[in-house]
Amino acid sequence: MEFKDNIPIYLQIEQYLYRQIALGELKAGEKIPSVRKLALELTVNVNTVQRALQQMNDKGILYTKRGEGNFVTENTELLEETKQALINNELETFVQNMNRLGVEKDQLIPELEQYLNSEDEK
Amino acid sequence: MTELLTISNLSYKKNQKQILHDVNLQLDSGKIVALLGENGAGKTTLMRIIAGVAKNYKGQVSLEGEEKEVQRKAKLSFTDNLTGFSDSTKIKDVVEFYINIFTDFDENQFEELRKFMKLDPEMKLSQLSRGMKEKLIIALTFSRKADLYLLDEPFSGIDAMARKRIINSIILWKEDQATILISDHFVNEISALLDEVVVVKDHTILEHKTADEIREGHESIEEYYEGLYADEEDE
Amino acid sequence: MTSFGTLFRELFKQKSKTTYLVFLIQLIAAIIFVIFGLISAGPGSYDHAMIAGVKVNALVAWILSIAGVFLGLSSIAQPVYLLMTSWRNEKINRSQTWRLVPMSNGKIYLCNTLSSFASFIYLAILQFLVALVVSGIVYLSSSDVRAGLAKGFSEIAKYHPGDNFAWLGLVAVFIAAILIGLFWYVIVSFYHFVSRAVIDFLPSANGFFIFVIRVVTLIVVIYLLGLFFNSLGNFAFDFVSAGSGNEIWYTDLLFLVADVLFGGLNYLLIEKFVEAKAN
């Protein structure tokens, strides 16, 4: 996994784990890999992983079982919210990019519909 | 976080040339810190002073409150280029030296690191490539149970695979409370690993920031580091 | 912290490899010389070898000649070994690998010097053992030799009745040899440390200038030595009355002071000024 060097890495690790959860790679109630394993997998500092996990703990996405590690919350509502946040994120990027290409807000939906239809015809 | 290394008002001259001037630095335990600066900026000298092998400096260096060189040497592990051994020395003989001399040397840990680095104990120092020698040095340095590890340019002149191995060994074997200071004149290869960055320029420590502080300003560590040296490139 | 004994053992272990090497070369050289001698003298040259007026067999004579040449070569091997080890000694004194050992720099210096000296003594002991073993072989080789030797000794005793062998004098000579041998290492380090401290202090110089500094330091060190031995020599000479047969004790005293004084200076120099070489 490649990180952008101009955004705090712990934030990127958080995003990475959210994505894993949203994609179902990590399921509700499942134990996530150990800090050191994650650090090695992502080639980052253990402290950085810890900071990311701490933030996720604070938000309630993860919970810690003493001596066992970190687990994904079973609160489906929270997981839905997280997924929604990811979707919003993607949409925000999409809208911004379209804007730069001169596609105004009211033009977005027709453009998208046209594109989806043409995709279906293929 | 507890205070590990404190350097205050450190100055060092050699051959009547100022090499370090009014250096102040404080490192906490449990961090991975880069010591960045151009070649000849004084990074190696600073490490040598911390390690107690460079003499005649002014100012204080204390490691866990100990200012005596002997105490510092016992608490830190410094990458040594093994120049004290003849070229025909085998790796296993170098290891024996470390086992005998350093009471905190963990033989089992070395075995694990040696296997991880794929080093053959029967090989002679003269047979090692640059990358292999660097891997051996790192394995030896990390096999000591120290509070502070000083890695002097561990990535210079080695290939990507060796670098990856060394970085992974840092992640895998670093004890939580130990601090690692890595000097380099190039930051990209280790930037994802860093907690803090210390930049040496004009014979002193120009800045000391956390990696997150730098990135929160939407700057990469490389941009930040190059920015500090930018004025020189204009000349 | 590393103990003095641990470092000493490690240093001695490495240095004794050189001891064995020199010993082996000395032995091989002796054998080669004797073989050459045998070839040039022609066959049967040992047929009439005599010891203490008694004929011995050719093998014993052969072993004896090797031992003789071997011991003769000691006078070359020992100075060569002294030079080799003091070179090694100074390399270790400035080696970062050794200076990183958790021990004070002064102690590392002492440990290094003493282990070099111990390895030198070790060489002398090995050489002495050769003499001892060969004497044993000759002694056991035939009863005639034993009888001849006994006769020889009793004759010596007859000529010097009541003259006790001067054991005390022998001890004094032995101590002098040790102190002078040690002084060699101490003075080489002193020269090395002083010149290094000066080179590091003065503005960086090119090769020629460094050479000049080295020569000047050498002259100064020799001058200092002259000064030391002159002034202290006169003092000590008054102290131990001359001509009383105690001159050797006076030498002992002189070199003891020299070893302690210059060794102490070295200790200070390496603690305060002499850095490990950057590697």
Side-chain angles (χ1 to χ4, degrees):
Chain A
M1 154 112 201
E2 285 291 314
F3 290 108
K4 290 200 180 80
D5 199 30
N6 57 1
I7 297 168
I9 307 249
Y10 72 94
L11 290 178
Q12 298 183 65
I13 295 172
E14 244 182 284
Q15 289 297 319
Y16 165 78
L17 288 172
Y18 284 154
R19 201 166 283 272
Q20 295 283 90
I21 293 167
L23 292 171
E25 305 269 341
L26 290 169
K27 296 190 176 59
E30 197 182 323
K31 184 181 184 298
I32 68 161
S34 75
V35 173
R36 216 169 272 271
K37 201 168 168 218
L38 272 173
L40 192 65
E41 203 177 297
L42 305 169
T43 323
V44 294
N45 189 328
V46 170
N47 291 335
T48 316
V49 176
Q50 237 143 20
R51 182 160 180 190
L53 298 187
Q54 188 54 50
Q55 299 248 357
M56 291 171 80
N57 260 296
D58 291 347
K59 288 174 188 163
I61 309 292
L62 297 180
Y63 65 96
T64 308
K65 276 194 206 162
R66 210 166 261 284
E68 283 190 57
N70 289 290
F71 294 80
V72 180
T73 182
E74 282 162 55
N75 181 341
T76 40
E77 214 170 294
L78 201 57
L79 288 175
E80 259 324 298
E81 271 176 39
T82 314
K83 191 169 181 175
Q84 194 54 51
L86 273 180
I87 293 171
N88 289 347
N89 242 333
E90 291 294 327
L91 287 173
E92 192 187 324
T93 319
F94 170 73
V95 172
Q96 274 172 1
N97 285 342
M98 292 308 273
N99 244 323
R100 282 199 204 108
L101 291 169
V103 182
E104 298 297 325
K105 265 184 190 167
D106 49 346
Q107 285 279 288
L108 272 174
I109 290 171
E111 283 284 348
L112 197 57
E113 271 179 344
Q114 198 187 333
Y115 170 76
L116 289 175
N117 287 337
S118 72
E119 278 290 287
D120 286 345
E121 280 164 25
K122 274 184 186 170
Chain B
M1 285 300 147
T2 51
E3 204 172 286
L4 179 71
L5 175 75
T6 311
I7 298 176
S8 39
N9 308 317
L10 175 74
S11 293
Y12 175 84
K13 260 189 192 175
K14 192 170 183 179
N15 297 118
Q16 298 300 314
K17 241 174 71 189
Q18 197 82 47
I19 298 191
L20 291 171
H21 178 67
D22 200 25
V23 170
N24 290 284
L25 176 67
Q26 197 191 306
L27 295 181
D28 288 337
S29 56
K31 304 283 187 188
I32 299 180
V33 184
L35 182 65
L36 300 176
E38 286 185 339
N39 286 330
K43 305 184 298 283
T44 301
T45 303
L46 183 57
M47 285 197 166
R48 276 165 53 83
I49 290 173
I50 297 170
V53 284
K55 298 270 166 184
N56 236 346
Y57 54 84
K58 293 193 179 74
Q60 282 85 47
V61 180
S62 86
L63 186 59
E64 284 188 326
E66 298 281 2
E67 286 191 25
K68 277 190 161 174
E69 278 168 4
V70 204
Q71 308 283 351
R72 294 203 318 251
K73 284 197 278 189
K75 288 171 188 291
L76 62 80
S77 183
F78 183 25
T79 48
D80 177 65
N81 283 340
L82 308 175
T83 46
F85 298 98
S86 70
D87 283 346
S88 59
T89 313
K90 285 180 178 170
I91 288 181
K92 62 173 189 186
D93 295 327
V94 176
V95 175
E96 209 188 307
F97 168 85
Y98 270 78
I99 292 170
N100 291 340
I101 290 296
F102 295 103
T103 47
D104 57 359
F105 191 85
D106 184 338
E107 207 177 336
N108 298 328
Q109 175 151 335
F110 178 81
E111 259 316 285
E112 278 184 50
L113 273 158
R114 185 189 65 70
K115 283 180 196 144
F116 184 76
M117 303 289 202
K118 300 190 166 68
L119 295 164
D120 173 5
E122 293 295 328
M123 273 180 100
K124 291 177 178 173
L125 291 182
S126 58
Q127 296 172 310
L128 301 179
S129 67
R130 183 81 194 256
M132 278 158 85
K133 188 163 179 200
E134 206 54 64
K135 283 194 275 189
L136 170 64
I137 290 169
I138 294 287
L140 290 167
T141 309
F142 277 152
S143 297
R144 286 185 57 197
K145 293 266 168 273
D147 300 313
L148 177 64
Y149 295 89
L150 302 173
L151 315 185
D152 193 13
E153 305 225 355
F155 305 110
S156 56
I158 66 168
D159 61 77
M161 285 308 293
R163 186 189 312 142
K164 177 102 182 145
R165 288 253 146 200
I166 290 175
I167 288 176
N168 284 342
S169 75
I170 293 176
I171 297 168
L172 274 171
W173 274 280
K174 181 189 164 305
E175 301 241 349
D176 289 344
Q177 79 291 349
T179 286
I180 303 182
L181 186 64
I182 309 170
S183 79
D184 213 331
H185 53 272
F186 186 67
V187 66
N188 266 357
E189 40 205 13
I190 48 167
S191 62
L193 218 59
L194 300 174
D195 287 306
E196 295 173 10
V197 176
V198 173
V199 178
V200 181
K201 196 193 165 190
D202 300 330
H203 315 299
T204 194
I205 287 176
L206 196 62
E207 285 197 24
H208 178 192
K209 278 191 174 179
T210 70
D212 287 338
E213 264 178 301
I214 296 166
R215 292 189 177 115
E216 271 154 18
H218 299 294
E219 211 176 10
S220 74
I221 292 179
E222 193 189 8
E223 286 160 356
Y224 161 78
Y225 168 52
E226 282 174 355
L228 290 176
Y229 265 98
D231 53 328
E232 281 187 1
E233 277 163 27
D234 297 339
E235 283 165 16
Chain C
M1 231 69 64
T2 307
S3 75
F4 196 86
T6 306
L7 183 62
F8 187 92
R9 268 195 301 278
E10 190 64 26
L11 283 162
F12 185 78
K13 195 176 77 190
Q14 298 203 7
K15 288 168 183 174
S16 58
K17 283 180 192 156
T18 316
T19 311
Y20 294 130
L21 185 72
V22 168
F23 179 81
L24 213 65
I25 290 173
Q26 191 183 344
L27 196 63
I28 290 169
I31 292 171
I32 290 173
F33 278 135
V34 170
I35 289 173
F36 270 115
L38 214 58
I39 291 169
S40 61
S45 52
Y46 280 122
D47 288 354
H48 307 292
M50 312 273 272
I51 294 173
V54 178
K55 194 175 173 297
V56 293
N57 73 50
L59 180 69
V60 171
W62 205 68
I63 290 173
L64 199 60
S65 344
I66 290 176
V69 176
F70 175 83
L71 292 177
L73 284 175
S74 291
S75 60
I76 302 171
Q78 287 184 355
V80 166
Y81 185 78
L82 210 57
L83 285 175
M84 281 170 75
T85 44
S86 56
W87 178 257
R88 180 90 181 273
N89 216 19
E90 298 315 318
K91 269 178 87 173
I92 290 173
N93 277 334
R94 287 201 64 220
S95 157
Q96 183 164 296
T97 305
W98 292 94
R99 293 279 288 270
L100 280 171
V101 173
M103 197 189 270
S104 82
N105 287 291
K107 269 194 190 160
I108 294 173
Y109 159 71
L110 287 181
C111 208
N112 187 22
T113 304
L114 291 177
S115 61
S116 287
F117 185 63
S119 76
F120 178 68
I121 297 290
Y122 185 49
L123 178 67
I125 289 173
L126 288 180
Q127 291 167 338
F128 177 71
L129 280 179
V130 169
L132 209 64
V133 167
V134 170
S135 311
I137 291 173
V138 172
Y139 190 74
L140 293 175
S141 65
S142 85
S143 54
D144 289 350
V145 172
R146 282 194 289 277
L149 282 176
K151 204 176 131 207
F153 275 124
S154 67
E155 263 165 35
I156 292 169
K158 230 183 281 171
Y159 281 114
H160 303 278
D163 189 7
N164 274 333
F165 194 67
W167 284 109
L168 207 61
L170 197 69
V171 170
V173 170
F174 187 67
I175 292 175
I178 286 182
L179 291 172
I180 293 171
L182 204 54
F183 186 67
W184 166 260
Y185 290 112
V186 170
I187 209 65
V188 169
S189 294
F190 181 68
Y191 168 59
H192 178 211
F193 292 175
V194 170
S195 58
R196 181 39 59 186
V198 172
I199 289 167
D200 282 349
F201 177 76
L202 294 177
S204 27
N206 59 26
F208 176 71
F209 196 58
I210 286 178
F211 176 73
V212 171
I213 294 172
R214 288 214 167 105
V215 171
V216 171
T217 329
L218 185 63
I219 292 168
V220 170
V221 167
I222 291 171
Y223 176 75
L224 276 177
L225 278 182
L227 213 63
F228 168 81
F229 280 108
N230 261 326
S231 52
L232 201 85
N234 291 334
F235 170 73
F237 222 63
D238 293 338
F239 190 66
V240 184
S241 52
S244 65
N246 283 336
E247 287 91 344
I248 191 71
W249 287 109
Y250 140 76
T251 309
D252 285 354
L253 181 68
L254 198 59
F255 276 96
L256 179 67
V257 174
D259 284 341
V260 171
L261 179 70
F262 286 97
L265 285 172
N266 288 342
Y267 189 97
L268 288 178
L269 282 167
I270 201 165
E271 276 285 320
K272 300 286 173 205
F273 300 106
V274 182
E275 296 187 344
K277 211 180 226 161
N279 64 17

